[in-house]
RNA sequence: GGGCGAGUAGCUCAGUUGGUUAGAGCGCUACGUUCACAUCGUAGAAGUCACAGGUUCGAGUCCUGUCUCGCCCACCA
C-alpha cells in the first residue's frame, strides 16, 4: 500500500470535505459527563447583517484553537454559536432596501415591516454563519441561537421584569443621546465622542430695560438658543453680580430670561456666562431642574426645528444654525466666531452627529449592578488577559451612569410594558414623546396580559419601543443555555470558561454580561476574558469597507486556505497587540502548510514497512534508538512543553513559533535530512519518523485543523493500534521527558555547530559544492567521534577523520571541545582567510576584555548568583582558548605568505 | 483633560520573573534543482534596542523625565 500525495497541498477540497464530515458526525457536540468539568465558550454573536471580516477571523480562530485544544484534552467541550439581531443595524439595512423602491417603513404597518425584516433575516442571516464554518470554527451548531428566537425573547422579558420588580428599571424624562437619522435614543456607549473642529459663537443678549447694554454669551450650537430659558453665571464671578436682579432678552425670540447663579459655570470659559437650554443639553438639564426652569424642546425627532422654533420651524438643525448666525449678524448681535476643537457624540451606526434630546425613556439603574460586577473582577473571579484591561473595566464601572435601554425602532424585543387605555380618559396633554396610558398603573409582565389587572379592561396598548440590542446580548452566556428555564445544559455548562473578544466591546458587552451573570445566575458568566487586538492595515489604519482597504478573509481562504489564514494570523498577532496586515503575510501560513504536506509526502514515499503495531515509543524502546532518533523525540518533548505553556497563557503566537521552528527547522531541516543517510536510517527510525509526524499533526491541529485531519487520516491506517475516528478527538500529546534525553540534545547541538562551521567555510571560500572535502576533527570528547557519518552527509565530505594535529590540513575553526580541519588548502584564498581570522581576533579580544573587567569586579563575584559567575568564568576560558588558536592560525598563515 | 498601548535589522514583529556576544519571518546578497518541498535548501550582510538621566555587580527588560505615533475614556457651553 502506497500513500500518494500531490506535490503541492490543495486546501480547497480538503477543507470543505472535512468540515462536512465533522459536522455530520456530531464531533462538535460535547458529551455531558457529570464527572468531568466542561470547557465552554460562547461566541460573541456576530450581527445577522454581518459578513466575515478579519476581526471575525482573528476572534474565531482564537476561540477555535482554545476549543479544539480543550476538546483534545478530553474535556466535554462546548462552543455555543449564534447571531445577534442587531436592532438598528438590521433595520437600517432593510430600510435602505425599501428606500430603493422609494418607500419608508412608515409606508407599512409595524407588523408588515417586521415581516419584511424576518424575511431578510431568513434569506441573508446565515451568511456569516456559513463563513464561520469555512474558517473551521468547531461550534456546536445544534445549539445555535439567535437573540430574537423564542427562548431568548423569553429570557429578555424575564430579565426586564425581574429588574423592574427590584426597582432597577425605571422610566423617566431625561436628556439622552438622540440620533436624528435613526430616530432613536442611544446609550452613552452608542454615541462615541469624536474630536471635531467647530465654531464658538459669541452672541450678545440685551439687558432688559437698559438700552444698549448687552452681555456676551458663547455657544457652539446657536440653534439651541431658541430653547433658552435662562442665563447662568458662577456665583463667585464678581464681574456679573450687577446682573443678579436683571432680566435678559433672548435675541430673535424676545423671551425674557432670568440670570441664575450656578456653581457649574466655569468663569474662565468664554465670557463666563452660559445660556441655559434645559431641553437640549445635559448640563443645562441639570441646571434647569435645580432652578425650576421651563423646558422648551425646539426640535423634531428628525433634527428639524419644530413650531417652537418660530420662523426657523421646519429647517434642519444645521441650516437653522447657519440662518440664525446670519440673522444675529444682521442685527449686530454676533460679536465674533472662533474656531473651536471639541468632542461631539456620533451615532455608532450611521455616524450622524447625535443631538442631546429631552425625552421619556426606560433606564437600567446601574450603580448596584456595577458595584457587584466590579468586586467580582477585583476579587479575581473574572480575569482579564492581558491584565491591563482590568483597569479599563474598573474605571468604567466607577464612573458608570444609568443605561438608556429603550429604542424608538421596530426591530427588536418590544418592551414588556402595557398601558391600560380602558376606563379612565387620558389627562389633557398627558402624552409625552411616547404615549402614556390612562389612570391605571402600567402593566409590566412576563406574559402578554389579556386584561388590565386594575380595572379589567382589555383595551391595552403595549409600549411602542423596543429594547437596546445589548439588552439581549448581556444575557447571552446563560440565555443560550436555556435560561430562565432550568435546563440540563444550563446547570452543566454554566458558568462558561473563556470569553474571547476585542477591546471595543468591553463596555457594551463584557462588563454588562458580568453584571447580568451575577444578577440573574448569582455567578459570573466566565472566568477569563481574553482580549485580543484589532486588525489594522499595514499603515495602521482600521480596516473598513468605506476606506476600501479591507483584506477579505474569504479571499485569503480561496487563495491559500483557512489553515494558512489561521496560522498566519496567529503567528503575527502578539498577545493582545494590534496586528498590521498585508496580503503577503499569508504566505507564512501557506508555505508552512506546504512544508507540512511535503514532510508527510516524503515520509509516505520512503516508507518501507507497511504497518506498525503502534506509533507509541516506550522508554525501553527509546533507550535502544540511535542518538538522532533520541534527539528528535527529546526535541519534540521540549516543544510540547513549550506549546502547553504558551496556550495556557493565551500566547498563541508563541505556540505557533515553537511548532513552526520545531517542525520546519528541527524536524525537516535536520532530522529528515539526517535520515537520508543510509547509516542513520535504520529500521527503528521509520517508526520514530511516524511517531513524531503523527504527534506533530495533533499538536498542530488546533491551529490548522483541516490539513492536519487530512494527513492524519492517511497516517492512521499505518498503525495497527486504532488511533480513533478523527484527529479532533485524538488525545492532546503529552510531553514525556525520557531519562537521559539531555545527552542527545547536547550531541545535536555539537553536530549543528560543526556542520555550520564547515558549511560556512565552504561558502566563504567558494568551494565548489560538488567538490569533495576531507574533514579532520581533533577532540578529546568521545561523542564527537560518533558524529562522523552525520557530518559526512551534511557537508558532502568524502571522509571525516579523527586525529590530532593533522599535517597538510587547514584549521576551519573551533567549536566547544573540538578543532575542525579541512583539506581544501589549495582552494583557499589566503588573503581572505587572513582577514577573517584578524576579524575574529579583534572581536574575541574585545569580548575577552568585557568578560575580564566583569570578573575583576569584586561586587560581581559577591552578588551575582554562583551559576552566573561560573558561566562567565567558563566563557572567559573558552574565549581565551579560541583566541590562542586563532593566533596560531594567523601565524601559520603568515608563514604561508 | 485622564488613561492605555507602541517605538528593537530595510519592513512586520518576538524578546514571560533583570543574567550567553539581542532573535524570527519577509526582503536583500551569493551559491545550489536527477534529492518531499523553489511555496525549497545552504551561507551571508544588516541593530546606538526612540532620547536623556537613575537604580543595580549587571538594564532591550526596573524607575523618572522627554519626544513621536496610535487607541480608549471625558457633560466646560
Amino acid at each position: 500500500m502506497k500513500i500518494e500525495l500531490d506535490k503541492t497541498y490543495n486546501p480547497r477540497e480538503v477543507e470543505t470535505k472535512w468540515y462536512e464530515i465533522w459536522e455530520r458526525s456530531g464531533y462538535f457536540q460535547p458529551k455531558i459527563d457529570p464527572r468531568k468539568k466542561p470547557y465552554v465558550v460562547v461566541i460573541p454573536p456576530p450581527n445577522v447583517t454581518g459578513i466575515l471580516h478579519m476581526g471575525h477571523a482573528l476572534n474565531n480562530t482564537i476561540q477555535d484553537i482554545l476549543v479544539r485544544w480543550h476538546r483534545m484534552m478530553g474535556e466535554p467541550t462546548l462552543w455555543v454559536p449564534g447571531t445577534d439581531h442587531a436592532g438598528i443595524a438590521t433595520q437600517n439595512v432593510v430600510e435602505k432596501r425599501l428606500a430603493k423602491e422609494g418607500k419608508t417603513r412608515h409606508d407599512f404597518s409595524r407588523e408588515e415591516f417586521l415581516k419584511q425584516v424576518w424575511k431578510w433575516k431568513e434569506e441573508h442571516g446565515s451568511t456569516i454563519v456559513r463563513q464561520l464554518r469555512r474558517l473551521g470554527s468547531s461550534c456546536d451548531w445544534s445549539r445555535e441561537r439567535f437573540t430574537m428566537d423564542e427562548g431568548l425573547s423569553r429570557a429578555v422579558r424575564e430579565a426586564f421584569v425581574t429588574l423592574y420588580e427590584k426597582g432597577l428599571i425605571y422610566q423617566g424624562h431625561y436628556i439622552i443621546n438622540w440620533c436624528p437619522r435613526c430616530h432613536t435614543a442611544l446609550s452613552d456607549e452608542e454615541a462615541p465622542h469624536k474630536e471635531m473642529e467647530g465654531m464658538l459663537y459669541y452672541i450678545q443678549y440685551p439687558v432688559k430695560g437698559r438700552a444698549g447694554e448687552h452681555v456676551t454669551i458663547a455657544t457652539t450650537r446657536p440653534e439651541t438658543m431658541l430653547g433658552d430659558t435662562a442665563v447662568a453665571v458662577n456665583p463667585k464671578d464678581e464681574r456679573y453680580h450687577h446682573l443678579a436682579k436683571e432680566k435678559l432678552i433672548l435675541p430673535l425670540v424676545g423671551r425674557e430670561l432670568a440670570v441664575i447663579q450656578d456653581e457649574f459655570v466655569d468663569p474662565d470659559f468664554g465670557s463666563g456666562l452660559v445660556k441655559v437650554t434645559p431641553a437640549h443639553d445635559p448640563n443645562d438639564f441639570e441646571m434647569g431642574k435645580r432652578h425650576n426652569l421651563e423646558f422648551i424642546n425646539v426640535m423634531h425627532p428628525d433634527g428639524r426645528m419644530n413650531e417652537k422654533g418660530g420662523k426657523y420651524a421646519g429647517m434642519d438643525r444645521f441650516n437653522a444654525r447657519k440662518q440664525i448666525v446670519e440673522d444675529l449678524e444682521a442685527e449686530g448681535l454676533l460679536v465674533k466666531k472662533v474656531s473651536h476643537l471639541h468632542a461631539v457624540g456620533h451615532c455608532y451606526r450611521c455616524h450622524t452627529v447625535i443631538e442631546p434630546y429631552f425625552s421619556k425613556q426606560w433606564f437600567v439603574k446601574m450603580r448596584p449592578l456595577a458595584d457587584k460586577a466590579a468586586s467580582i473582577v477585583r476579587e479575581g473571579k473574572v480575569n482579564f488577559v492581558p491584565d491591563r484591561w482590568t483597569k479599563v473595566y474598573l474605571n468604567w464601572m466607577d464612573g458608570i451612569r444609568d443605561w438608556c435601554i429603550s429604542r424608538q425602532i421596530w426591530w427588536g424585543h418590544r418592551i414588556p410594558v402595557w398601558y391600560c387605555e380602558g376606563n379612565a380618559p387620558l389627562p389633557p396633554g398627558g402624552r409625552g414623546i411616547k404615549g402614556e396610558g390612562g389612570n391605571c398603573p402600567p402593566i409590566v409582565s412576563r406574559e402578554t396580559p389579556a386584561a388590565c389587572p386594575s380595572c379589567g379592561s382589555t383595551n391595552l396598548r403595549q409600549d411602542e419601543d423596543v429594547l437596546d440590542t445589548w439588552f439581549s446580548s448581556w444575557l447571552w452566556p446563560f440565555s443560550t443555555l436555556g435560561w430562565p428555564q432550568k435546563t440540563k445544559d444550563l446547570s452543566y455548562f454554566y458558568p462558561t470558561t473563556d470569553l474571547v473578544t476585542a477591546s471595543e466591546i468591553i463596555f457594551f458587552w463584557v462588563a454588562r454580561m458580568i453584571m447580568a451573570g451575577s444578577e440573574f445566575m448569582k455567578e459570573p458568566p466566565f472566568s477569563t476574558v481574553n482580549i485580543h487586538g484589532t486588525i489594522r492595515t499595514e499603515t495602521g489604519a482600521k480596516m473598513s469597507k468605506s476606506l476600501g482597504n479591507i483584506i477579505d478573509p474569504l479571499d485569503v481562504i480561496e487563495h491559500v486556505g483557512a489553515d494558512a489564514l489561521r496560522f498566519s494570523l496567529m503567528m503575527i498577532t502578539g498577545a493582545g497587540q494590534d496586528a498590521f496586515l498585508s496580503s503577503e503575510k499569508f504566505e507564512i501560513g501557506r508555505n508552512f502548510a506546504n512544508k507540512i504536506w511535503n514532510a508527510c509526502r516524503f515520509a509516505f514515499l520512503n516508507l518501507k514497512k507497511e504497518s506498525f503495531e503502534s506509533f507509541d515509543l516506550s522508554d525501553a524502546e527509546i533507550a535502544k534508538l540511535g542518538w538522532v532518533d533520541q534527539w528528535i523525540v527529546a526535541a519534540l518533548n521540549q516543544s510540547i512543553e513549550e506549546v502547553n505553556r504558551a496556550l495556557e497563557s493565551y500566547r498563541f503566537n508563541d505556540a505557533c513559533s515553537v511548532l513552526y521552528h520545531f517542525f520546519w527547522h528541527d524536524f525537516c531541516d535536520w532530522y529528515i535530512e539526517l535520515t537520508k543517510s543510509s547509516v542513520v536510517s535504520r529500521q527503528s527510525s521509520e517508526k520514530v519518523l511516524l511517531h513524531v509526524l503523527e504527534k506533530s499533526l495533533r499538536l498542530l491541529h488546533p491551529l490548522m485543523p483541516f490539513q492536519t485531519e487530512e494527513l492524519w487520516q492517511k497516517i492512521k491506517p499505518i498503525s495497527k493500534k486504532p488511533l480513533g475516528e478523527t484527529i479532533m478527538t485524538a488525545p492532546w500529546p503529552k510531553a514525556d521527558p525520557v531519562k537521559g534525553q539531555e545527552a542527545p540534545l547536547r550531541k545535536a547541538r555539537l553536530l549543528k555547530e560543526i556542520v555550520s562551521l564547515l558549511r560556512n567555510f565552504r561558502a566563504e571560500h567558494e568551494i565548489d559544492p560538488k567538490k569533495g572535502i576531507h574533514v579532520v576533527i581533533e577532540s578529546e570528547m568521545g561523542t564527537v567521534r560518533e558524529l562522523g557519518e552525520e557530518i559526512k552527509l551534511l557537508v558532502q565530505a568524502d571522509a571525516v577523520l579523527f586525529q590530532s594535529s593533522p599535517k597538510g590540513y587547514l584549521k576551519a575553526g573551533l567549536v566547544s571541545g573540538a578543532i575542525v580541519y579541512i583539506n581544501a588548502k589549495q582552494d583557499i584564498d589566503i588573503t581572505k582567510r587572513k582577514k577573517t581570522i584578524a576579524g575574529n581576533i579583534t572581536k574575541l579580544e574585545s569580548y575577552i576584555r568585557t568578560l575580564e573587567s566583569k570578573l575583576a569586579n569584586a561586587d560581581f563575584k559577591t552578588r551575582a548568583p554562583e551559576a552566573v559567575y561560573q558561566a562567565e568564568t567558563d566563557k572567559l576560558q573558552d574565549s581565551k582558548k579560541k583566541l590562542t588558536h586563532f593566533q596560531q592560525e594567523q601565524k601559520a598563515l603568515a608563514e604561508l605568505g
Side-chain angles (χ1 to χ4, degrees), chain A residues 761-779:
Chain A
F761 191 88
R762 276 197 101 124
E764 192 185 343
H765 297 287
E766 291 165 4
I767 298 171
D768 183 341
K770 289 190 192 78
K771 187 180 163 67
I773 50 170
H774 284 220
V775 174
V776 176
I777 296 172
E778 177 183 357
S779 173

Side-chain angles (χ1 to χ4, degrees), chain A residues 64 66 94 316 355 384 505 613 788 843:
Chain A
D64 199 43
L66 289 168
V94 177
D316 172 77
E355 194 64 32
F384 283 86
I505 54 174
E613 285 307 314
K843 240 191 266 173

Side-chain angles (χ1 to χ4, degrees), chain A residues 602 606 608 627-629 668-683 685-686 751 786-797:
Chain A
F602 170 83
N606 293 286
K608 292 185 201 79
W627 79 269
V628 175
D629 287 346
C668 292
D669 289 349
W670 285 95
Y671 181 74
I672 289 187
E673 288 310 313
L674 278 166
T675 60
K676 287 177 182 173
S677 136
S678 57
V679 176
V680 175
S681 168
R682 59 186 74 85
Q683 190 60 18
S685 93
E686 227 172 35
L751 175 66
E786 294 158 27
L787 295 174
E789 286 304 322
E790 288 85 343
I791 295 169
K792 204 170 141 186
L793 169 77
L794 295 174
V795 301
Q796 289 95 41

Side-chain angles (χ1 to χ4, degrees), chain A residues 824-880:
Chain A
K825 188 153 88 179
Q826 61 276 28
D827 290 331
I828 301 305
D829 180 338
I830 299 284
T831 329
K832 208 176 202 175
R833 187 65 189 159
K834 277 182 178 166
K835 224 168 142 189
T836 310
I837 297 294
N840 287 346
I841 288 174
T842 319
K843 240 191 266 173
L844 262 179
E845 280 172 344
S846 97
Y847 183 47
I848 286 169
R849 275 196 299 277
T850 318
L851 287 173
E852 278 174 341
S853 70
K854 197 181 212 176
L855 289 165
N857 188 329
D859 286 334
F860 180 68
K861 172 142 193 169
T862 50
R863 300 196 196 186
E866 180 67 21
V868 173
Y869 182 81
Q870 192 51 49
E872 298 297 300
T873 314
D874 292 349
K875 271 187 270 175
L876 180 62
Q877 271 176 10
D878 199 49
S879 305
K880 279 185 170 165

Side-chain angles (χ1 to χ4, degrees), chain A residues 231-303:
Chain A
V231 166
V233 61
N234 190 300
K236 288 184 196 120
D237 193 343
E238 294 182 358
R239 291 175 296 176
Y240 298 116
H241 279 173
H242 67 282
L243 290 176
K245 297 226 166 66
E246 305 285 353
K247 296 271 186 226
L248 304 175
I249 303 295
L250 180 61
L252 309 177
V253 177
R255 185 160 51 235
E256 273 187 24
L257 304 176
V259 178
I260 60 168
Q261 299 199 333
D262 199 290
E263 295 283 349
F264 163 77
V265 181
D266 176 0
D268 296 327
F269 189 90
S271 60
L273 286 170
V274 180
K275 61 194 266 311
V276 184
T277 322
H280 286 275
D281 183 277
N283 299 309
D284 295 9
F285 172 79
E286 294 300 327
M287 282 198 277
K289 279 205 296 191
R290 283 199 286 274
H291 299 273
N292 238 332
L293 301 175
E294 201 187 338
F295 288 56
I296 302 176
N297 184 345
V298 298
M299 255 180 237
H300 289 300
D302 62 2

Side-chain angles (χ1 to χ4, degrees), chain A residues 567 571 588 592 655-665 700:
Chain A
F567 189 84
M571 190 84 169
I588 300 173
F592 187 45
C656 286
S657 15
V658 167
L659 289 172
Y660 185 88
H661 184 269
F662 169 75
F663 195 87
W664 198 311
H665 296 119
L700 286 160

